[in-house]
Every structure is written in C-alpha cells, then in structure tokens.
C-alpha cells in the first residue's frame, strides 16, 4: 500500500484552488519542503518540516509578485527568495527582487535590474556567503525587444559587489 500525507488546501493560507507545478516545490538538504503558490492573499511561501508540519509562512504582499523564480537556504539557515515583480508605488516595469526570510520574518529585501523589464532565473550562494543571481534584462522598449543575460553578485546582505 502507498501512504501519503495530504495537505488540506483550505488550511494553507486561504488557498481554495491548488495550481501547483513541480517548479513550485523545493526539497532542501535537511528534508524541509518549501511550497509556493498563489492565493487570494498574494504569492505564498510555506515551509514544512520533513513530516509535513507547517513551520512558517510568508505572504509576498508588499509588491506584486509575478513569479517566484528560485529559493535557497542560506548557510545561516535563512531562506533567500528570488522573485520577479513590480512595486506598484513606483512603476509597473518588472524587476528582480531578493528577499531574505528567517522564520517568516523579512530580514531584508533588495531590488535589482534595469529601468525596463527584468526577469529572475536562478540564485546560488558562494562558500563565502555572497549571493549570485542570474536574470535577463530587456534592452529595447518595444514589445518582444532584445533581452540580455545579467549576473549580479551581492554580499550576504544583498548589497551588490
């Protein structure tokens, strides 16, 4: 017989429809499961122990998140989340954001990219704690314009190096 644990979507931050794809889940080395999805409250990042008990949840409501591109667990145990979105109080161009979260609390949030459309792709941590993110940036204003790859290295606090 196959046993599985079911997560009641009504108990996961008000998510009444479940549209989860393989890219919406990440299994960390310590067995922690990260799950991110959209709900009526915004984009949600939930952290579960290896026995699927929810330990923390973060709602990305301070900016409009278009996609959650990557999540890593830093050497200090915190989560660093790479998202693409826009801050509706400033402009409506897509930007790349890094958010560092520990136990559901935001430690810092930084924005990267050009004045035009940017998209996050992936995020890694170097042995010295620096973060390296890869994204793409639009070089022309016209729809379907040219995109270039960009690479940013930051210190452990998200400050570009």
């Amino acid at each position: 017989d196959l046993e599985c644990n079911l997560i009641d979507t009504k108990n996961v931050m008000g998510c009444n429809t479940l549209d989860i794809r393989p890219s919406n889940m990440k299994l960390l080395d310590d067995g922690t499961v990260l799950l991110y999805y959209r709900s009526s409250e915004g984009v949600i990042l939930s952290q579960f122990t290896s026995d699927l008990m929810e330990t923390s949840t973060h709602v990305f409501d301070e900016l409009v998140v278009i996609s959650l591109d990557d999540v890593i667990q830093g050497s200090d145990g915190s989560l660093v989340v790479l998202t693409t979105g826009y801050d509706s109080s400033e402009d409506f161009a897509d930007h790349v954001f890094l958010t560092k979260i520990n136990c559901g609390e935001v430690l810092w949030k930084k924005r990267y990219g050009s004045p035009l459309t940017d998209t996050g792709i992936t995020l890694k941590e170097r042995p010295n704690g620096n973060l390296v993110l890869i994204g793409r940036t639009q070089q022309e204003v016209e729809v379907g314009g040219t995109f270039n790859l960009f690479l940013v290295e930051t210190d452990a606090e998200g400050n570009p190096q």
Side-chain angles (χ1 to χ4, degrees), residues 58 60 62-63 72 74 76 78-83 96-102 104-112 123-125 129-133 152-160:
H58 179 74
F60 290 87
E62 62 273 357
L63 58 98
I72 63 168
D76 63 357
S78 63
L79 300 177
V80 183
V81 184
L82 174 65
T83 57
V96 174
F97 293 86
L98 283 182
T99 306
K100 188 169 187 176
I101 302 170
N102 192 17
E105 177 185 340
V106 174
L107 303 177
W108 53 259
K109 180 180 77 173
K110 306 283 176 137
R111 184 177 98 178
Y112 310 90
L123 174 66
K124 302 293 180 204
E125 182 181 42
N130 284 4
L131 301 168
V132 178
L133 70 95
V152 175
E153 182 166 355
T154 75
D155 63 15
E157 300 302 311
N159 301 308

CSV table of all heavy atoms in Angstrom, one decimal, residues 58 60 62-63 72 74 76 78-83 96-102 104-112 123-125 129-133 152-160:
chain,number,residue,atom,x,y,z
A,58,HIS,N,5.2,32.9,4.6
A,58,HIS,CA,5.4,34.3,4.2
A,58,HIS,C,4.5,34.7,3.0
A,58,HIS,O,4.5,34.0,2.1
A,58,HIS,CB,6.9,34.6,3.9
A,58,HIS,CG,7.1,36.0,3.5
A,58,HIS,ND1,7.1,37.0,4.5
A,58,HIS,CD2,7.3,36.6,2.3
A,58,HIS,CE1,7.3,38.2,3.9
A,58,HIS,NE2,7.4,38.0,2.6
A,60,PHE,N,3.9,37.4,0.1
A,60,PHE,CA,4.5,38.5,-0.6
A,60,PHE,C,3.4,39.5,-1.0
A,60,PHE,O,2.9,39.4,-2.1
A,60,PHE,CB,5.3,38.0,-1.8
A,60,PHE,CG,6.5,37.2,-1.5
A,60,PHE,CD1,6.4,35.8,-1.2
A,60,PHE,CD2,7.7,37.8,-1.4
A,60,PHE,CE1,7.6,35.1,-0.9
A,60,PHE,CE2,8.9,37.1,-1.1
A,60,PHE,CZ,8.8,35.8,-0.8
A,62,GLU,N,3.8,43.0,-0.2
A,62,GLU,CA,4.3,44.4,-0.3
A,62,GLU,C,4.7,44.8,-1.7
A,62,GLU,O,4.9,45.9,-2.0
A,62,GLU,CB,5.5,44.6,0.6
A,62,GLU,CG,6.7,43.7,0.3
A,62,GLU,CD,6.6,42.3,1.0
A,62,GLU,OE1,5.7,42.0,1.7
A,62,GLU,OE2,7.5,41.5,0.7
A,63,LEU,N,4.8,43.8,-2.6
A,63,LEU,CA,5.0,44.1,-4.0
A,63,LEU,C,4.2,43.1,-4.8
A,63,LEU,O,3.7,42.1,-4.3
A,63,LEU,CB,6.5,44.0,-4.4
A,63,LEU,CG,7.2,42.7,-4.1
A,63,LEU,CD1,7.2,41.9,-5.4
A,63,LEU,CD2,8.6,43.0,-3.6
A,72,ILE,N,16.6,29.5,-2.0
A,72,ILE,CA,17.7,28.7,-1.5
A,72,ILE,C,17.7,28.9,0.0
A,72,ILE,O,17.2,29.8,0.5
A,72,ILE,CB,19.1,29.1,-2.1
A,72,ILE,CG1,19.4,30.6,-1.7
A,72,ILE,CG2,19.2,28.9,-3.6
A,72,ILE,CD1,20.9,31.0,-2.0
A,74,GLY,N,20.2,29.6,2.9
A,74,GLY,CA,21.5,30.1,3.1
A,74,GLY,C,22.3,29.3,4.2
A,74,GLY,O,21.7,28.6,4.9
A,76,ASP,N,23.3,30.3,6.8
A,76,ASP,CA,22.8,30.7,8.2
A,76,ASP,C,21.5,30.1,8.5
A,76,ASP,O,20.9,30.3,9.6
A,76,ASP,CB,22.8,32.2,8.4
A,76,ASP,CG,21.9,32.9,7.4
A,76,ASP,OD1,21.2,32.2,6.6
A,76,ASP,OD2,21.7,34.1,7.5
A,78,SER,N,18.6,30.7,7.0
A,78,SER,CA,17.5,31.6,6.5
A,78,SER,C,17.2,31.2,5.0
A,78,SER,O,18.0,30.5,4.3
A,78,SER,CB,17.9,33.1,6.6
A,78,SER,OG,19.0,33.3,5.8
A,79,LEU,N,16.1,31.7,4.5
A,79,LEU,CA,15.7,31.5,3.1
A,79,LEU,C,16.0,32.8,2.3
A,79,LEU,O,15.7,33.9,2.8
A,79,LEU,CB,14.3,31.1,3.0
A,79,LEU,CG,13.8,29.9,3.7
A,79,LEU,CD1,12.3,29.7,3.6
A,79,LEU,CD2,14.6,28.6,3.2
A,80,VAL,N,16.5,32.6,1.1
A,80,VAL,CA,16.7,33.8,0.2
A,80,VAL,C,15.8,33.4,-1.0
A,80,VAL,O,16.0,32.4,-1.6
A,80,VAL,CB,18.2,34.0,-0.2
A,80,VAL,CG1,18.3,35.2,-1.1
A,80,VAL,CG2,19.0,34.1,1.1
A,81,VAL,N,14.9,34.4,-1.3
A,81,VAL,CA,13.9,34.1,-2.3
A,81,VAL,C,14.2,35.1,-3.5
A,81,VAL,O,14.3,36.3,-3.3
A,81,VAL,CB,12.5,34.4,-1.8
A,81,VAL,CG1,11.4,34.0,-2.8
A,81,VAL,CG2,12.3,33.5,-0.5
A,82,LEU,N,14.2,34.6,-4.7
A,82,LEU,CA,14.4,35.4,-5.9
A,82,LEU,C,13.0,35.4,-6.6
A,82,LEU,O,12.4,34.4,-6.9
A,82,LEU,CB,15.4,34.7,-6.9
A,82,LEU,CG,15.5,35.3,-8.2
A,82,LEU,CD1,16.1,36.7,-8.2
A,82,LEU,CD2,16.4,34.4,-9.1
A,83,THR,N,12.5,36.7,-6.7
A,83,THR,CA,11.2,36.9,-7.4
A,83,THR,C,11.3,37.9,-8.5
A,83,THR,O,12.2,38.7,-8.5
A,83,THR,CB,10.1,37.4,-6.3
A,83,THR,OG1,10.6,38.6,-5.8
A,83,THR,CG2,9.8,36.4,-5.3
A,96,VAL,N,13.7,42.5,-10.6
A,96,VAL,CA,14.1,41.3,-9.9
A,96,VAL,C,14.3,41.7,-8.4
A,96,VAL,O,15.0,42.7,-8.1
A,96,VAL,CB,15.4,40.7,-10.5
A,96,VAL,CG1,16.0,39.6,-9.7
A,96,VAL,CG2,15.1,40.3,-11.9
A,97,PHE,N,13.8,40.9,-7.5
A,97,PHE,CA,13.9,41.1,-6.1
A,97,PHE,C,14.6,39.9,-5.4
A,97,PHE,O,14.3,38.8,-5.7
A,97,PHE,CB,12.5,41.4,-5.4
A,97,PHE,CG,11.9,42.6,-5.9
A,97,PHE,CD1,11.1,42.6,-7.0
A,97,PHE,CD2,12.0,43.8,-5.2
A,97,PHE,CE1,10.4,43.7,-7.5
A,97,PHE,CE2,11.3,44.9,-5.6
A,97,PHE,CZ,10.6,44.9,-6.8
A,98,LEU,N,15.4,40.2,-4.4
A,98,LEU,CA,15.8,39.2,-3.4
A,98,LEU,C,15.2,39.5,-2.1
A,98,LEU,O,15.3,40.7,-1.7
A,98,LEU,CB,17.4,39.2,-3.3
A,98,LEU,CG,18.2,38.5,-4.4
A,98,LEU,CD1,19.7,38.5,-4.0
A,98,LEU,CD2,17.7,37.1,-4.7
A,99,THR,N,14.7,38.6,-1.4
A,99,THR,CA,14.1,38.7,-0.1
A,99,THR,C,14.7,37.7,0.8
A,99,THR,O,14.7,36.5,0.5
A,99,THR,CB,12.6,38.6,-0.1
A,99,THR,OG1,12.0,39.5,-1.1
A,99,THR,CG2,12.0,38.9,1.3
A,100,LYS,N,15.3,38.1,2.0
A,100,LYS,CA,15.8,37.2,2.9
A,100,LYS,C,14.8,37.0,4.1
A,100,LYS,O,14.4,38.0,4.6
A,100,LYS,CB,17.2,37.6,3.4
A,100,LYS,CG,17.9,36.6,4.3
A,100,LYS,CD,19.3,37.0,4.6
A,100,LYS,CE,20.1,35.9,5.3
A,100,LYS,NZ,21.5,36.2,5.5
A,101,ILE,N,14.5,35.8,4.4
A,101,ILE,CA,13.4,35.5,5.3
A,101,ILE,C,14.0,34.5,6.4
A,101,ILE,O,14.6,33.5,6.0
A,101,ILE,CB,12.2,34.9,4.7
A,101,ILE,CG1,11.6,35.8,3.6
A,101,ILE,CG2,11.1,34.5,5.7
A,101,ILE,CD1,10.6,35.2,2.7
A,102,ASN,N,13.7,34.8,7.6
A,102,ASN,CA,14.0,33.8,8.7
A,102,ASN,C,12.8,33.6,9.5
A,102,ASN,O,12.3,34.6,10.1
A,102,ASN,CB,15.2,34.3,9.5
A,102,ASN,CG,15.8,33.2,10.4
A,102,ASN,OD1,15.5,32.0,10.2
A,102,ASN,ND2,16.6,33.6,11.4
A,104,GLY,N,9.8,33.2,8.8
A,104,GLY,CA,8.6,34.0,8.3
A,104,GLY,C,8.9,35.5,8.4
A,104,GLY,O,8.0,36.3,7.9
A,105,GLU,N,9.9,36.0,9.0
A,105,GLU,CA,10.2,37.4,9.2
A,105,GLU,C,11.2,37.9,8.1
A,105,GLU,O,12.2,37.2,7.9
A,105,GLU,CB,10.8,37.6,10.6
A,105,GLU,CG,11.2,39.1,10.8
A,105,GLU,CD,11.9,39.3,12.1
A,105,GLU,OE1,11.8,38.4,13.0
A,105,GLU,OE2,12.6,40.3,12.2
A,106,VAL,N,10.8,39.0,7.4
A,106,VAL,CA,11.7,39.5,6.4
A,106,VAL,C,12.9,40.2,7.1
A,106,VAL,O,12.7,41.1,7.9
A,106,VAL,CB,10.9,40.5,5.5
A,106,VAL,CG1,11.9,41.2,4.5
A,106,VAL,CG2,9.8,39.8,4.7
A,107,LEU,N,14.1,39.8,6.7
A,107,LEU,CA,15.3,40.4,7.2
A,107,LEU,C,15.7,41.6,6.3
A,107,LEU,O,16.2,42.6,6.8
A,107,LEU,CB,16.4,39.4,7.4
A,107,LEU,CG,16.1,38.2,8.2
A,107,LEU,CD1,17.3,37.2,8.2
A,107,LEU,CD2,15.8,38.6,9.7
A,108,TRP,N,15.6,41.4,5.0
A,108,TRP,CA,15.8,42.5,4.1
A,108,TRP,C,15.2,42.1,2.7
A,108,TRP,O,15.0,41.0,2.4
A,108,TRP,CB,17.3,42.8,3.9
A,108,TRP,CG,18.3,41.7,3.7
A,108,TRP,CD1,19.1,41.1,4.6
A,108,TRP,CD2,18.6,41.1,2.4
A,108,TRP,NE1,19.8,40.1,3.9
A,108,TRP,CE2,19.5,40.1,2.6
A,108,TRP,CE3,18.1,41.2,1.1
A,108,TRP,CZ2,20.0,39.3,1.6
A,108,TRP,CZ3,18.6,40.4,0.1
A,108,TRP,CH2,19.5,39.5,0.3
A,109,LYS,N,15.0,43.1,1.9
A,109,LYS,CA,14.5,43.0,0.5
A,109,LYS,C,15.3,44.0,-0.3
A,109,LYS,O,15.4,45.2,0.0
A,109,LYS,CB,13.0,43.2,0.5
A,109,LYS,CG,12.4,43.1,-0.9
A,109,LYS,CD,11.0,43.4,-0.9
A,109,LYS,CE,10.7,44.9,-0.9
A,109,LYS,NZ,9.3,45.3,-1.0
A,110,LYS,N,15.8,43.5,-1.5
A,110,LYS,CA,16.5,44.4,-2.4
A,110,LYS,C,16.0,44.2,-3.8
A,110,LYS,O,15.5,43.1,-4.2
A,110,LYS,CB,18.0,44.0,-2.4
A,110,LYS,CG,18.7,44.0,-1.0
A,110,LYS,CD,19.0,45.4,-0.5
A,110,LYS,CE,19.5,45.3,0.9
A,110,LYS,NZ,20.6,46.1,1.2
A,111,ARG,N,16.1,45.3,-4.6
A,111,ARG,CA,15.7,45.3,-6.0
A,111,ARG,C,16.9,45.4,-6.9
A,111,ARG,O,17.8,46.2,-6.6
A,111,ARG,CB,14.7,46.4,-6.2
A,111,ARG,CG,14.1,46.4,-7.6
A,111,ARG,CD,13.1,47.5,-7.8
A,111,ARG,NE,13.8,48.6,-8.4
A,111,ARG,CZ,13.2,49.7,-8.8
A,111,ARG,NH1,11.9,49.9,-8.5
A,111,ARG,NH2,13.8,50.7,-9.4
A,112,TYR,N,16.9,44.7,-8.0
A,112,TYR,CA,18.0,44.7,-9.0
A,112,TYR,C,17.4,44.8,-10.4
A,112,TYR,O,16.3,44.4,-10.6
A,112,TYR,CB,18.8,43.4,-8.9
A,112,TYR,CG,19.2,43.1,-7.5
A,112,TYR,CD1,18.4,42.3,-6.7
A,112,TYR,CD2,20.4,43.6,-6.9
A,112,TYR,CE1,18.8,42.0,-5.4
A,112,TYR,CE2,20.8,43.3,-5.6
A,112,TYR,CZ,19.9,42.5,-4.9
A,112,TYR,OH,20.3,42.2,-3.6
A,123,LEU,N,19.4,31.5,-8.5
A,123,LEU,CA,20.1,32.1,-7.4
A,123,LEU,C,21.0,31.0,-6.8
A,123,LEU,O,20.6,29.9,-6.6
A,123,LEU,CB,19.1,32.6,-6.4
A,123,LEU,CG,19.6,33.1,-5.1
A,123,LEU,CD1,20.4,34.4,-5.3
A,123,LEU,CD2,18.4,33.4,-4.1
A,124,LYS,N,22.3,31.4,-6.4
A,124,LYS,CA,23.2,30.4,-5.7
A,124,LYS,C,23.9,31.2,-4.6
A,124,LYS,O,24.0,32.4,-4.7
A,124,LYS,CB,24.2,29.9,-6.7
A,124,LYS,CG,23.6,29.1,-7.9
A,124,LYS,CD,23.0,27.9,-7.5
A,124,LYS,CE,22.4,27.1,-8.7
A,124,LYS,NZ,21.3,26.3,-8.4
A,125,GLU,N,24.4,30.5,-3.6
A,125,GLU,CA,25.2,31.1,-2.6
A,125,GLU,C,26.6,30.5,-2.7
A,125,GLU,O,26.9,29.3,-2.9
A,125,GLU,CB,24.7,30.7,-1.2
A,125,GLU,CG,25.5,31.3,-0.1
A,125,GLU,CD,24.9,31.0,1.3
A,125,GLU,OE1,24.6,29.8,1.5
A,125,GLU,OE2,24.9,31.8,2.2
A,129,GLY,N,29.4,33.2,1.5
A,129,GLY,CA,28.1,33.8,1.9
A,129,GLY,C,27.5,34.7,0.9
A,129,GLY,O,26.4,35.2,1.0
A,130,ASN,N,28.4,35.1,-0.1
A,130,ASN,CA,27.9,36.0,-1.2
A,130,ASN,C,26.8,35.3,-2.0
A,130,ASN,O,26.8,34.1,-2.1
A,130,ASN,CB,29.0,36.4,-2.1
A,130,ASN,CG,29.9,37.5,-1.5
A,130,ASN,OD1,29.7,37.9,-0.3
A,130,ASN,ND2,30.9,38.0,-2.3
A,131,LEU,N,25.9,36.1,-2.6
A,131,LEU,CA,24.8,35.5,-3.4
A,131,LEU,C,25.1,35.9,-4.8
A,131,LEU,O,25.5,37.0,-5.1
A,131,LEU,CB,23.5,36.1,-2.9
A,131,LEU,CG,23.1,35.8,-1.5
A,131,LEU,CD1,21.9,36.7,-1.1
A,131,LEU,CD2,22.8,34.4,-1.3
A,132,VAL,N,24.8,35.0,-5.7
A,132,VAL,CA,24.9,35.2,-7.2
A,132,VAL,C,23.6,35.0,-7.8
A,132,VAL,O,23.0,33.9,-7.6
A,132,VAL,CB,26.0,34.3,-7.8
A,132,VAL,CG1,26.1,34.6,-9.3
A,132,VAL,CG2,27.4,34.5,-7.1
A,133,LEU,N,23.0,36.0,-8.5
A,133,LEU,CA,21.8,35.8,-9.2
A,133,LEU,C,22.0,36.0,-10.7
A,133,LEU,O,22.8,36.8,-11.1
A,133,LEU,CB,20.7,36.7,-8.6
A,133,LEU,CG,20.7,38.1,-8.8
A,133,LEU,CD1,19.9,38.5,-10.0
A,133,LEU,CD2,20.1,38.8,-7.6
A,152,VAL,N,24.5,39.2,-11.2
A,152,VAL,CA,24.8,40.1,-10.1
A,152,VAL,C,25.3,39.3,-8.9
A,152,VAL,O,24.8,38.3,-8.6
A,152,VAL,CB,23.5,40.8,-9.6
A,152,VAL,CG1,23.7,41.7,-8.4
A,152,VAL,CG2,22.9,41.6,-10.7
A,153,GLU,N,26.4,39.8,-8.3
A,153,GLU,CA,26.9,39.2,-7.1
A,153,GLU,C,26.7,40.2,-6.0
A,153,GLU,O,27.0,41.4,-6.1
A,153,GLU,CB,28.4,38.8,-7.2
A,153,GLU,CG,28.9,38.1,-5.9
A,153,GLU,CD,30.2,37.4,-6.0
A,153,GLU,OE1,30.8,37.4,-7.1
A,153,GLU,OE2,30.7,37.0,-5.0
A,154,THR,N,26.2,39.7,-4.9
A,154,THR,CA,26.0,40.5,-3.7
A,154,THR,C,26.7,40.0,-2.5
A,154,THR,O,27.1,38.8,-2.5
A,154,THR,CB,24.5,40.6,-3.3
A,154,THR,OG1,24.0,39.4,-2.7
A,154,THR,CG2,23.6,40.9,-4.6
A,155,ASP,N,26.8,40.8,-1.5
A,155,ASP,CA,27.3,40.2,-0.2
A,155,ASP,C,26.2,39.5,0.5
A,155,ASP,O,25.1,39.4,-0.1
A,155,ASP,CB,27.9,41.3,0.7
A,155,ASP,CG,26.9,42.4,1.1
A,155,ASP,OD1,25.7,42.2,1.0
A,155,ASP,OD2,27.3,43.5,1.6
A,156,ALA,N,26.4,39.0,1.7
A,156,ALA,CA,25.3,38.2,2.4
A,156,ALA,C,24.1,39.0,2.7
A,156,ALA,O,23.1,38.5,3.0
A,156,ALA,CB,25.9,37.6,3.6
A,157,GLU,N,24.2,40.4,2.7
A,157,GLU,CA,23.1,41.3,3.0
A,157,GLU,C,22.4,41.8,1.7
A,157,GLU,O,21.6,42.7,1.8
A,157,GLU,CB,23.6,42.4,3.9
A,157,GLU,CG,24.1,42.0,5.2
A,157,GLU,CD,23.2,41.1,6.0
A,157,GLU,OE1,22.0,41.5,6.1
A,157,GLU,OE2,23.6,40.0,6.5
A,158,GLY,N,22.8,41.3,0.5
A,158,GLY,CA,22.1,41.7,-0.7
A,158,GLY,C,22.7,42.9,-1.4
A,158,GLY,O,22.1,43.4,-2.3
A,159,ASN,N,23.8,43.4,-0.9
A,159,ASN,CA,24.4,44.6,-1.4
A,159,ASN,C,25.3,44.2,-2.6
A,159,ASN,O,26.2,43.4,-2.4
A,159,ASN,CB,25.2,45.4,-0.4
A,159,ASN,CG,24.4,45.8,0.8
A,159,ASN,OD1,23.3,46.4,0.6
A,159,ASN,ND2,24.8,45.4,2.0
A,160,PRO,N,25.1,44.8,-3.8
A,160,PRO,CA,25.9,44.5,-4.9
A,160,PRO,C,27.4,44.7,-4.7
A,160,PRO,O,27.8,45.6,-4.0
A,160,PRO,CB,25.4,45.4,-6.0
A,160,PRO,CG,24.0,45.8,-5.6
A,160,PRO,CD,24.1,45.8,-4.1
